[in-house]
Amino acid sequence: MSLDLPPGVHGEGHALLVLEEDYLELRNYLGADVHGVLGYELFSRFIVTIDYERKELILTRPDRFKPKRNAQKIKISVEDTKPYFVTTVSMTDSSKCHAKLLVDSGASHGLILEPDSNDTIKVPDLFVKSIIGRGLGGVITGKIGRISSVDLGKYDVKNVIANFPDPNSYMDTLKTSRSVKRNGAIGGEILSRFKVTFDFPREYLYLQKNSAFKKRFITT
């Protein structure tokens, strides 16, 4: 498949997930029609910056990229074509967990934590039960509660709403495609508080906070 992104980016033989039907009901979660998903083929060739405030996707050739001085540099590992990083998550009971998280820029949630992956990850005393997502195997059920903070280098993101999937529901949905052990994932509700730059070739993530950084996390 060929891919053209203005201005001047053209690719041949590009692998792209095309959704003929909205099997995942993405419109219900994102509020817009989604016809396809860009992934590793693009991210591995360019430095990709997502400017949430300006609603821009910026592509830079790796040899021309210079990170901003005020950007927080975070080491990532690209495993099975996806970016992961290890950080500290503070729970509501003052316990801390060194969690390996998937960076999922396509997800609308802020944070997913999997209690069965680490004994320190516990559902807060105050929670609500809900459908927290949908995968190819159907709905993903779980609990939603507030945790103390997530450490993103010099940024301490506080009072985060976290999703805690029911293990059976989550694993049944993902077991056919999941090959990397992890403790959870961060998504758009956290990432949208930053200008986010993915440097897959060198395995770094750069964050610059924007005007949404202090916005309160709320349940929907």
Side-chain angles (χ1 to χ4, degrees):
M1 178 178 293
S2 63
L3 176 68
D4 289 283
L5 295 173
V9 176
H10 176 77
E12 295 285 349
H14 187 89
L16 178 68
L17 175 61
V18 178
L19 302 175
E20 293 184 359
E21 297 182 36
D22 192 2
Y23 296 107
L24 304 181
E25 299 184 6
L26 294 175
R27 182 174 181 79
N28 293 341
Y29 294 98
L30 303 179
D33 291 324
V34 178
H35 304 290
V37 179
L38 295 172
Y40 180 77
E41 289 261 341
L42 183 72
F43 281 70
S44 64
R45 288 168 169 76
F46 294 94
I47 309 301
V48 180
T49 298
I50 303 173
D51 189 330
Y52 286 90
E53 283 192 311
R54 296 186 177 182
K55 298 182 179 180
E56 292 180 344
L57 183 71
I58 303 163
L59 305 180
T60 307
R61 280 174 37 184
D63 60 324
R64 294 186 176 181
F65 174 68
K66 292 184 179 180
K68 300 295 184 181
R69 289 178 127 186
N70 66 337
Q72 172 62 58
K73 181 180 180 180
I74 295 175
K75 182 63 178 174
I76 63 173
S77 60
V78 179
E79 303 175 48
D80 194 22
T81 73
K82 298 176 180 62
Y84 298 84
F85 74 106
V86 177
T87 190
T88 300
V89 176
S90 298
M91 310 303 292
T92 51
D93 62 357
S94 299
S95 62
K96 296 181 182 294
C97 172
H98 294 286
K100 183 175 183 178
L101 302 177
L102 167 69
V103 185
D104 190 353
S105 59
S108 59
H109 63 73
L111 179 67
I112 285 179
L113 293 173
E114 303 171 27
D116 62 328
S117 70
N118 189 306
D119 292 339
T120 311
I121 299 175
K122 298 178 181 178
V123 179
D125 292 335
L126 296 177
F127 67 86
V128 294
K129 293 183 178 181
S130 180
I131 295 174
I132 62 176
R134 178 177 288 273
L136 295 176
V139 298
I140 302 173
T141 60
K143 301 176 180 66
I144 301 175
R146 194 179 297 274
I147 66 164
S148 293
S149 65
V150 178
D151 180 10
L152 297 178
K154 65 182 179 181
Y155 301 116
D156 191 27
V157 185
K158 298 182 180 297
N159 299 316
V160 176
I161 296 293
N163 297 317
F164 299 85
D166 294 332
N168 291 337
S169 172
Y170 197 42
M171 292 307 297
D172 287 347
T173 300
L174 300 179
K175 64 183 179 182
T176 58
S177 61
R178 182 169 166 184
S179 59
V180 178
K181 290 183 178 180
R182 66 175 192 245
N183 303 113
I186 66 168
E189 184 61 23
I190 288 179
L191 296 176
S192 63
R193 295 155 195 267
F194 302 90
K195 178 188 283 188
V196 182
T197 298
F198 293 89
D199 184 346
F200 271 39
R202 301 177 187 88
E203 298 194 322
Y204 283 107
L205 181 73
Y206 295 90
L207 301 175
Q208 297 167 267
K209 71 176 181 180
N210 59 31
S211 61
F213 179 74
K214 293 185 179 181
K215 184 176 68 174
R216 178 176 169 81
F217 290 89
I218 59 174
T219 57
T220 56

